[in-house]
Amino acid sequence: RLGLAAAVQAAEGYPFSPGQEPTLRGDVDFLLECMDEAGVDGALIVQPINHMFDHSLVTSVLKKYPSKFIGCCLANPADDGSGIKQLEHLIVQEKYRAVRFNPNLWPSGQKMTNEVGRSLFAKAGELGAPVGIMVMKGISSYIQEIEELCTDYPATTVIFDHMAFCKPPTNDDEEKAFSSFLNLSRFPQVYVKYSALFRITREAYPYEDTSQLLSRVISSYGANRIMWGSDFPYVVPECGYKGAKEAISHVAGKVAVSSSDLEWILGKTVSQLFQGAWVTP
């Protein structure tokens, strides 16, 4: 059982980015405690926005717990292109296995398909690191950029965070957005995180309405391109870490997801994508 998480820590020597001080506990000891309680063996830690491009905390955690965690760094799309060298350093030297693209961090008016974005995306593919895309404002705003990047750089694997923030469609616009997301499955290098269910539901726990999303995503992508993620620490006050994992089996049961598909979603997909990870050195 493998999960995906974002860890945050206020500690000596790990200052927060101005204006990004967290309001939740998200230190590694708490994450390990949550994982243990839920029976989760390993996780991918995404560099939290609270530390912006200072990766020193996550790097220290990855070094301390190599059999528990692998890292996803945060792409720095600064105009000067300095983020490309930083990306290479984090993947090659510090052994990060993936990189997050947050389109909100691109300079104002710039797209992920600008020169720096293309260089970062191509470099990730060259280094074998999947690009996790977090489209907090919804898929519609970015669909053209994403299609362009996937078409031009097919060697770069893409992972959509939180089901590309698609809620169960209730109108034509939402249906169109969800369909455009499903249609990205035509690119074999695109994967999906069925994660942070509390962000994509319109209901209370256990988020049963997301079963229609899950069913359609399995039909389009196949379970071997879908992986569960917790969205730690934000998930803790919502339904608890263990509750988040238990919701998956509950929701899957509503749409008769096979036990084999469930195995892919709860660990096999992510293990195959990050081969050689979560092993005792």
Side-chain angles (χ1 to χ4, degrees):
R1 295 285 180 267
L2 296 163
L4 310 161
V8 169
Q9 189 168 341
E12 285 300 310
Y14 301 114
F16 294 116
S17 188
Q20 296 285 359
E21 294 77 12
T23 51
L24 292 173
R25 183 182 171 196
D27 57 278
V28 68
D29 295 330
F30 184 39
L31 174 55
L32 286 166
E33 206 177 288
C34 289
M35 287 166 63
D36 191 48
E37 187 198 356
V40 171
D41 303 311
L44 171 77
I45 296 181
V46 181
Q47 167 70 5
I49 195 87
N50 313 81
H51 293 280
M52 203 55 83
F53 305 117
D54 173 3
H55 287 71
S56 52
L57 171 63
V58 174
T59 302
S60 74
V61 169
L62 300 178
K63 285 189 163 67
K64 190 173 176 184
Y65 300 102
S67 65
K68 281 284 174 194
F69 303 119
I70 61 170
C72 174
C73 59
L74 182 61
N76 178 358
D79 279 334
D80 63 5
S82 57
I84 298 149
K85 273 270 172 278
Q86 186 181 23
L87 175 66
E88 192 156 17
H89 170 79
L90 289 166
I91 293 169
V92 176
Q93 305 300 320
E94 306 295 358
K95 307 294 182 233
Y96 281 75
R97 296 290 302 264
V99 55
R100 168 172 279 174
F101 270 35
N102 178 345
N104 297 341
L105 298 178
W106 259 251
S108 183
Q110 296 282 319
K111 293 182 172 178
M112 290 184 286
T113 45
N114 70 358
E115 196 184 338
V116 168
R118 286 173 163 276
S119 299
L120 287 165
F121 195 85
K123 177 60 73 180
E126 189 189 304
L127 297 170
V131 172
I133 304 182
M134 189 169 72
V135 291
M136 285 195 94
K137 294 176 183 165
I139 187 85
S140 308
S141 317
Y142 307 108
I143 190 78
Q144 284 169 304
E145 294 165 57
I146 290 161
E147 290 186 332
E148 206 176 299
L149 290 169
C150 288
T151 302
D152 293 351
Y153 307 101
T156 303
T157 297
V158 169
I159 304 171
F160 278 104
D161 283 308
H162 312 331
M163 208 75 125
F165 290 82
C166 291
K167 289 189 173 185
T170 54
N171 59 45
D172 288 349
D173 283 349
E174 288 170 355
E175 178 56 45
K176 194 177 161 211
F178 189 50
S179 296
S180 73
F181 165 57
L182 294 177
N183 199 27
L184 289 169
S185 64
R186 71 187 189 275
F187 297 105
Q189 71 273 27
V190 176
Y191 289 71
V192 178
K193 278 191 209 173
Y194 181 53
S195 51
L197 269 57
F198 67 91
R199 296 186 191 273
I200 57 172
T201 185
R202 299 179 196 279
E203 295 180 2
Y205 185 84
Y207 319 127
E208 278 181 14
D209 62 335
T210 66
S211 62
Q212 53 160 307
L213 298 175
L214 180 61
S215 175
R216 291 176 67 185
V217 167
I218 291 173
S219 296
S220 293
Y221 285 87
N224 61 341
R225 288 204 272 157
I226 304 166
M227 63 201 92
W228 171 66
S230 67
D231 199 20
F232 176 90
Y234 308 105
V235 74
V236 176
E238 298 290 338
C239 65
Y241 185 98
K242 184 169 183 257
K245 188 183 148 219
E246 287 168 350
I248 302 298
S249 308
H250 180 85
V251 171
K254 290 278 154 203
V255 282
V257 173
S258 71
S259 58
S260 142
D261 279 358
L262 203 53
E263 272 180 36
W264 279 103
I265 294 165
L266 286 172
K268 276 174 77 175
T269 299
V270 79
S271 300
Q272 194 167 80
L273 198 54
F274 298 106
Q275 286 183 5
W278 300 290
V279 290
T280 309

